[in-house]
């Protein structure tokens, strides 16, 4: 079983092409991020006092960034926890499988864009934190 940890989750710059008309941000799957993209989704109209996420994924790889606005992203691999502020369209974060995530403190008009390695599959979610911790211990024991 692959051991995933917070160390694998990296903040990465997004390529930025600038001229007098403004900026273009470019993310190329398999080149700039370490997986093929099968799905793209985004959250918006998120109230400031809401926490999204509250789960981990068994197999899903994701690259996530604030295309507008900003929010806090807390990642937890069952041993370590770290909070990142994502508030610029030229910087994203790669999240590997088996990492719990919470998204909070959304600025007004935030759009959180996510590039995902798989189609939507509810069976890939671990939505219970105790169950997540148990899965981490099994992973560590292998
Ligand atoms: C993640 C964070 C960052 C779908 O039907 N298809 C989809 O592709 C997605 C993403 C969601 N849904 C349904 C499932 C739920 O009934 O939309 C509803 C809301 O999803 P969820 O509560 O999982 O939303 P978030 O914002 O808590 O989590 C989402 C992603 O699900 C998750 O993979 O890492 O954004």
């Amino acid at each position: 079983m692959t051991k995933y940890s917070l160390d694998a989750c990296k903040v990465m710059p997004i390529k930025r092409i600038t001229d007098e008309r403004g900026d273009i941000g470019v993310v190329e799957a398999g080149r700039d991020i370490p997986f093929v993209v099968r799905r793209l989704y985004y959250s918006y109209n998120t109230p400031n006092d809401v926490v999204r996420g509250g789960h981990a994924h068994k197999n899903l790889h994701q690259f996530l960034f604030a295309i507008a606005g900003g929010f806090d992203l807390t990642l937890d691999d069952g041993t370590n926890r770290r909070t990142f502020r994502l508030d610029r369209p030229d910087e994203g974060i790669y999240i590997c499988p088996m990492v719990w995530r919470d998204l909070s403190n959304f600025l007004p008009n935030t759009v959180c864009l996510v590039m995902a390695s798989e189609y939507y599959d509810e069976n890939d979610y671990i939505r219970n934190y105790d169950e997540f911790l148990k899965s981490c211990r099994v992973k560590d024991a292998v």
Side-chain angles (χ1 to χ4, degrees), residues 4 39 41 54-62 95-101 114 116-128 131-132 135:
Y4 289 111
R39 177 167 53 108
Y41 64 90
H55 59 258
H57 285 281
K58 297 172 195 164
N59 293 306
L60 191 71
H61 299 254
Q62 298 198 107
I95 309 178
C96 64
M98 290 309 292
V99 171
W100 190 269
R101 80 281 324 264
V114 183
S117 64
E118 304 298 336
Y119 300 119
Y120 175 73
D121 176 8
E122 186 57 36
N123 292 323
D124 187 65
Y125 285 72
I126 306 174
R127 293 190 184 270
N128 177 291
E131 189 192 322
F132 166 69
S135 302

